[in-house]
Amino acid sequence: MTTVDTTTLRARFAARLSALYGTEVPAYTTLVEVSHEVNARVIERHGADAERLGSISRVTAERHGAIRVGSPAEMAQVARVFGALGMQPTGFYDLRDARPTPIPVVSTAFRPRDREELARNPFRVFTSMLVPEDRRFFDADLEQRLRTFLDARQLFPDELLTLADRAEAEGGLDEAAAVTFLDLAASAFALSPEPVDSAWYAELERVSSVAADIGGVTTTHINHLTPRVLDIDDLYQSMQARGIEMIDRIQGPPRWDGPDVLLRQTSFRALAEPRRFRDPDGVVSEGSLRVRFGEVEARGIALTPAGRDLYDRLVRTVDERTAESGEDRDVVAQQVWTEHLPATERQLCLDGLGFFTYRPAETLPVGTPPRDLRGLVAGGWLEADPIVYEDFLPRSAAGIFSSNLTGEGSVDASQGGAERDIDWMSATVGRDVAAPEDVYAAESRTSLEAAAATLGVTIAE
Ligand code: OOG
Ligand code: NI
């Protein structure tokens, strides 16, 4: 019996979700088409250089999904489904203190962590869960009713979870079981035709439309599925040229002449989708909800903690200068970047701001190699290859959530919030939630140790 291994399962699942989402949100198909055109143009312009942060086959298949669940029990089940696909919880994001609009969720991203696995298929899913215990959003009575509602629903059928556990334990499934697993998994994320209880949905919507999207219905669904492009400015213009109205800017770092870092994202709001509603008198009527998205992203180099601190400082500087001068944010950001960030990838590496892997240079200099990383790179002993940023940005995530809101919601800042952090998330999913910077640092260190061993040096730092 042929075994469908973890990697193949993940690739097939990503392709299934993409096909499903395309039938649900037709503008997504346009977005994918335009992304392919943009990527082909970049490859034509820059050749092999364009693939420095990922091969064209990886980038073409690359997607991130966003889903939302309601409770720790549901989160733990999601972890099992993604565990079967080789996707591990990575990073912790608390959107409850997002500005300008707090969102009552905390999140992690399920993704492969291993470089080779990422190269084969980098599918990742930003997964958020409600915090009904947070008094800033939900009073005791609403919390109680919300939890009762969430406890009564089942997002993932038992058969799916059993197959997921088997796939994870055995590193794959035979073809027949794989087909069943993929069918069940994809349909768990499809939009349900079940009528929405309109009074319950509206009550939650008064708190937050994200709360209603999660806790107002008995199923979950993909909120968006995001392709990756090699030139997001070209993509933005090309979509507008096709008559699709984009949000007013690209989020994250600006376009500039230096190295791309972290993540740039932009999106359009999907059209309202027909949904059925059940009114308090039991009558079912046709209505619509507008909660889904077309998002697209371009990825850059992962930043070290020092690089990330600098990034956060630059973002604040851009905020301040934009507020003071009234100039366009993108123009200001480009100036600030040019003033403070190294203009080359090599300098980003030498300044310890970006994460890189290292390998011995093809032609080594003569003499004795120095014993420090900087000296080895500067002296031409080591070649540095950038590590691509595989995670998310809290501020952009908050932006995506907010552009999704139908109303302002209501937050009572005088109330205490429930404590949530990465350790709480680890306990909830029953797996270690890794901090992204630790994953990048380990990869960088491993490559450096191997390269140093080849050169016969012991790094002194
Ligand atoms: C998730 C928003 C975060 C991103 O790309 O930053 C996100 C959501 O809307 O559920 O997907
Ligand atoms: Ni997203």
Side-chain angles (χ1 to χ4, degrees), residues 64 66 68 126 223-224 265 295 392 396-397 400-401:
H64 87 245
R68 303 153 171 194
F126 192 90
N223 178 270
H224 59 264
Q265 299 178 309
E295 186 192 46
F392 293 85
S396 307
I400 289 291
F401 271 112

Side-chain angles (χ1 to χ4, degrees), residues 173-412:
L173 291 171
D174 62 75
E175 178 62 29
V179 168
T180 310
F181 172 80
L182 292 168
D183 284 346
L184 291 170
S187 61
F189 294 108
L191 202 63
S192 159
E194 275 299 298
V196 177
D197 178 336
S198 57
W200 176 233
Y201 197 93
E203 183 177 3
L204 290 172
E205 213 172 14
R206 282 193 288 278
V207 172
S208 153
S209 49
V210 175
D213 183 52
I214 301 172
V217 291
T218 53
T219 55
T220 187
H221 48 261
I222 317 166
N223 178 270
H224 59 264
L225 202 59
T226 300
R228 177 171 163 195
V229 279
L230 297 171
D231 183 342
I232 199 168
D233 300 279
D234 180 352
L235 181 285
Y236 187 93
Q237 283 147 21
S238 305
M239 288 296 281
Q240 279 188 324
R242 290 221 188 181
I244 293 177
E245 195 192 326
M246 306 298 285
I247 59 169
D248 62 358
R249 65 182 67 252
I250 296 168
Q251 292 171 315
R255 177 185 196 87
W256 78 307
D257 289 334
D260 283 325
V261 299
L262 298 174
L263 176 65
R264 303 180 69 205
Q265 299 178 309
T266 192
S267 60
F268 60 85
R269 207 163 161 198
L271 297 175
E273 295 173 275
R275 294 279 277 272
R276 296 195 305 147
F277 289 88
R278 183 177 291 107
D279 292 334
D281 55 12
V283 174
V284 173
S285 59
E286 291 292 329
S288 67
L289 283 179
R290 194 164 178 238
V291 290
R292 305 216 276 178
F293 260 103
E295 186 192 46
V296 62
E297 67 192 14
R299 290 187 171 265
I301 302 172
L303 295 182
T304 60
R308 188 55 184 259
D309 284 349
L310 176 60
Y311 174 79
D312 291 338
R313 278 203 304 281
L314 297 190
V315 170
R316 282 197 298 276
T317 307
V318 173
D319 286 347
E320 285 158 16
R321 258 196 226 176
T322 308
E324 279 162 22
S325 69
E327 266 186 279
D328 181 72
R329 189 184 166 88
D330 294 342
V331 174
V332 173
Q334 231 171 52
Q335 283 163 2
V336 171
W337 246 245
T338 311
E339 285 163 27
H340 297 280
L341 262 194
T344 63
E345 198 183 88
R346 186 181 167 77
Q347 199 59 41
L348 198 67
C349 172
L350 291 173
D351 291 355
L353 297 172
F355 277 117
F356 290 80
T357 56
Y358 301 95
R359 59 189 157 85
E362 264 156 45
T363 18
L364 293 175
V366 274
T368 317
R371 293 180 58 207
D372 65 301
L373 171 59
R374 219 171 168 278
L376 286 166
V377 173
W381 298 86
L382 288 182
E383 289 289 345
D385 298 309
I387 298 182
V388 68
Y389 188 61
E390 306 285 355
D391 295 283
F392 293 85
L393 293 178
R395 187 164 163 141
S396 307
I400 289 291
F401 271 112
S402 315
S403 37
N404 212 354
L405 300 177
T406 43
E408 286 181 359
S410 68
V411 178
D412 180 353

